[in-house]
Amino acid sequence: MDKEFYFTIEKTAQAQYRDRGSQFISFAFPIKATDDFKTRMAELKKEHPKATHHCFAYRLGLDNNTFRSSDAGEPAGTAGKPILGQIDSRELTDILIVVVRYFGGTLLGVPGLIQAYKSSASMVLQLVPVVKKPIEKKHHLLFDYSRFNEILAVLRQSNCSVISQELQLFCTMEIGVPVNRQQEVIYKLEAIPTVQVD
């Protein structure tokens, strides 16, 4: 993978779109796993029990293989795909967009539906800031507690993230290192006595 960064969102947003009496309310959520998606979906169905459709699309991870979209009862290809298309046109990941529709009595037809769901997804994405994040590779550290501050200094200088840590006399830490700084960070960490990096 030659990419060093990915794009996502960190805030939620909501937008509204109307077409011939039908109301489309779109929601954007940052998500990290399919469980987050299930939770958000359940919340929205509870919040909008009388809505005719709860259409959605999400994309997770960096390999482009984890995504799902649903027309939720609308004609095939008229809702989920246009929503996913908006996510992908902005190259976003770890994001869920749900469009809740209240039917207004007039059929919009296939082109009308595609346009409505695409516009709804586009509108909500215009309201939420896109965040650029470094792609990280995970490493495991073993070290003596006396070296904790030195290690922390290296991690902060290099914008690494601490995923988990267990601090005792002998410590373990799981870290995320930006892919474009792998060699530099590992070199610095291994130069600290007692530190083992996997």
Side-chain angles (χ1 to χ4, degrees):
M1 181 188 290
D2 56 350
K3 286 168 72 178
E4 294 179 2
F5 297 94
Y6 68 97
F7 298 93
T8 188
I9 62 169
E10 289 181 333
K11 295 188 166 84
T12 59
Q14 182 180 335
Q16 280 197 27
Y17 176 83
R18 287 178 185 276
D19 188 355
R20 282 166 280 178
S22 277
Q23 185 183 8
F24 298 84
I25 310 167
S26 48
F27 300 86
F29 301 104
I31 60 169
K32 281 285 178 205
T34 48
D35 284 350
D36 298 343
F37 151 69
K38 289 173 187 159
T39 306
R40 293 300 195 176
M41 228 25 218
E43 288 168 6
L44 284 178
K45 284 185 172 174
K46 213 180 210 172
E47 226 175 279
H48 298 274
K50 293 190 165 71
T52 347
H53 304 279
H54 298 83
C55 306
F56 69 85
Y58 68 75
R59 188 173 285 287
L60 285 166
L62 302 171
D63 60 5
N64 282 338
N65 295 332
T66 312
F67 64 93
R68 196 170 148 209
S69 65
S70 167
D71 299 314
E74 293 282 28
T78 59
K81 268 196 182 129
I83 297 170
L84 187 62
Q86 289 303 302
I87 292 173
D88 290 347
S89 71
R90 289 165 172 81
E91 297 182 7
L92 298 170
T93 191
D94 295 345
I95 181 173
L96 161 68
I97 294 180
V98 182
V99 180
V100 174
R101 180 188 182 192
Y102 287 90
F103 183 56
T106 306
L107 291 171
L108 303 182
V110 168
L113 286 171
I114 291 171
Q115 186 55 44
Y117 282 103
K118 182 181 170 184
S119 298
S120 298
S122 176
M123 281 168 74
V124 79
L125 285 173
Q126 286 166 27
L127 297 176
V128 67
V130 169
V131 182
K132 182 179 176 183
K133 292 191 159 189
I135 292 172
E136 295 181 331
K137 190 167 181 248
K138 286 183 185 173
H139 290 282
H140 206 76
L141 304 182
L142 284 170
F143 57 93
D144 192 292
Y145 184 73
S146 63
R147 301 295 176 185
F148 180 66
N149 289 337
E150 289 170 76
I151 290 167
L152 224 48
V154 171
L155 299 181
R156 284 197 182 123
Q157 284 163 5
S158 314
N159 292 328
C160 299
S161 59
V162 175
I163 298 158
S164 64
Q165 61 184 17
E166 216 171 288
L167 304 176
Q168 292 164 353
L169 198 57
F170 218 69
C171 310
T172 61
M173 191 184 274
E174 196 177 1
I175 60 168
V177 180
V179 287
N180 58 346
R181 303 191 76 169
Q182 291 294 310
Q183 284 179 306
E184 167 204 347
V185 171
I186 289 165
Y187 176 78
K188 283 180 179 173
L189 289 171
E190 287 179 337
I192 302 171
T194 82
V195 176
Q196 288 175 36
V197 184
D198 303 337

